[in-house]
Amino acid sequence: MNVKNTVLIAEKMFESQPAVRVDLGPDRHFLPADYHAALDRILAKDSGNIFAVRLVGKSFEGRPIRLLTAGSGRTPILLWSQMHGDESTATAAIADIINYLIYHGHKEEVDLLLSSLTLHFLPMLNPDGAFRRSRRTAQHIDMNRDAAALQTPEAVLLKNLQYSLKPEFGFNLHDQELSTTGSADTLTAIALLAPALDHEKSDNEVRRKAISIAAVFAEVMKRFVNGKIAKYDDSFEPRAFGD
């Protein structure tokens, strides 16, 4: 999909956001059961069968973790959110995106997107932490430092999906603390990271692709949040899943 089409889809989604925004309550934190109930209400309107939904596992305390898949394109994408239970922004955004794709499933830009990509959404990967409004899992582990040890069932689930789905790109979606863009006083709206693969921050084909995607994303997002896009710290972290 070229940059022109990417801009078109971004503009359509931005224009539609007020109409497709999913009401998850007045608090930025919401319970896992409430979130899945909201998703079920959205999916009940999926008359075009855009989404396939399957239970792919459960958390340490037995809460369901579901994968929602749309599209038939040759490029598979895996997006997961809330591996830190107190970082709910992207989880809410995923609900809005799912609602958008269902609500506008008949439109040309949605057909273009779903014929180019296969989108796998894994929202609220840490439902136990979300239930407690806690960064860590029920085992008191920071899941984004569990990529190597794999002590949590949630991290194992994510790793297994990586092997089975073989995504071309993975998006580890986080919140961030309030920070400014560079030396300016403007608060950052979004920060992007193409993770380093070693302490020297070397590049390989995978990282170069991630940097290219981040560059295109930043260029498109300038239309909506110009001056509010930052680069996140890319120090090497061998225990992390990457972002």
Side-chain angles (χ1 to χ4, degrees):
M1 200 161 50
N2 59 37
V3 175
K4 181 180 178 181
N5 288 334
T6 302
V7 170
L8 171 66
I9 293 169
E11 288 177 340
K12 294 292 185 182
M13 293 185 74
F14 184 79
E15 293 167 3
S16 300
Q17 205 278 333
V20 300
R21 184 178 182 275
V22 178
D23 184 4
L24 296 171
D27 195 330
R28 65 180 295 269
H29 296 285
F30 34 82
L31 294 174
D34 293 340
Y35 182 75
H36 286 294
L39 283 184
D40 287 339
R41 289 192 294 271
I42 298 168
L43 293 165
K45 302 174 185 177
D46 186 13
S47 58
N49 295 316
I50 291 174
F51 278 92
V53 184
R54 62 186 175 104
L55 179 70
V56 289
K58 293 186 177 182
S59 68
F60 182 79
E61 294 184 326
R63 294 184 172 88
I65 300 173
R66 298 194 292 177
L67 184 75
L68 298 91
T69 299
S72 57
R74 295 176 60 184
T75 304
I77 309 290
L78 176 62
L79 308 97
W80 65 93
S81 70
Q82 215 164 344
M83 60 165 26
H84 293 146
D86 58 351
E87 298 180 1
S88 59
T89 302
T91 305
I94 286 175
D96 293 349
I97 293 169
I98 292 168
N99 198 27
Y100 169 85
L101 294 175
I102 291 173
Y103 190 79
H104 294 289
H106 59 288
K107 294 194 174 179
E108 180 182 0
E109 61 269 15
V110 172
D111 183 64
L112 176 64
L113 179 71
L114 297 182
S115 62
S116 301
L117 306 174
T118 298
L119 299 172
H120 300 286
F121 295 99
L122 188 67
M124 199 177 277
L125 181 57
N126 179 10
D128 298 344
F131 182 80
R132 294 174 172 80
R133 301 189 182 189
S134 168
R135 177 183 180 86
R136 296 173 180 266
T137 69
Q139 296 168 272
H140 307 290
I141 293 172
D142 182 337
M143 199 194 310
N144 206 24
R145 298 294 182 268
D146 192 32
L150 296 176
Q151 296 175 288
T152 63
E154 300 91 346
V156 171
L157 183 156
L158 180 60
K159 197 78 169 180
N160 288 340
L161 282 175
Q162 177 198 358
Y163 287 138
S164 62
L165 299 175
K166 296 180 172 58
E168 186 77 14
F169 299 99
F171 290 85
N172 186 0
L173 305 171
H174 293 273
D175 285 10
Q176 64 180 33
E177 296 178 353
L178 292 178
S179 60
T180 57
T181 305
S183 59
D185 294 331
T186 305
L187 285 177
T188 301
I190 190 165
L192 305 173
L193 169 61
L197 56 121
D198 55 30
H199 287 290
E200 289 72 35
K201 302 183 182 180
S202 305
D203 285 345
N204 61 3
E205 183 181 359
V206 172
R207 192 178 192 219
R208 284 192 291 271
K209 282 184 177 181
I211 291 170
S212 296
I213 288 290
V216 172
F217 183 87
E219 187 62 33
V220 173
M221 290 303 294
K222 285 180 183 178
R223 297 168 179 266
F224 313 109
V225 287
N226 191 29
K228 299 183 179 182
I229 304 166
K231 174 187 173 184
Y232 200 76
D233 177 19
D234 64 348
S235 298
F236 179 57
E237 175 45 81
R239 301 170 298 166
F241 278 96
D243 299 277

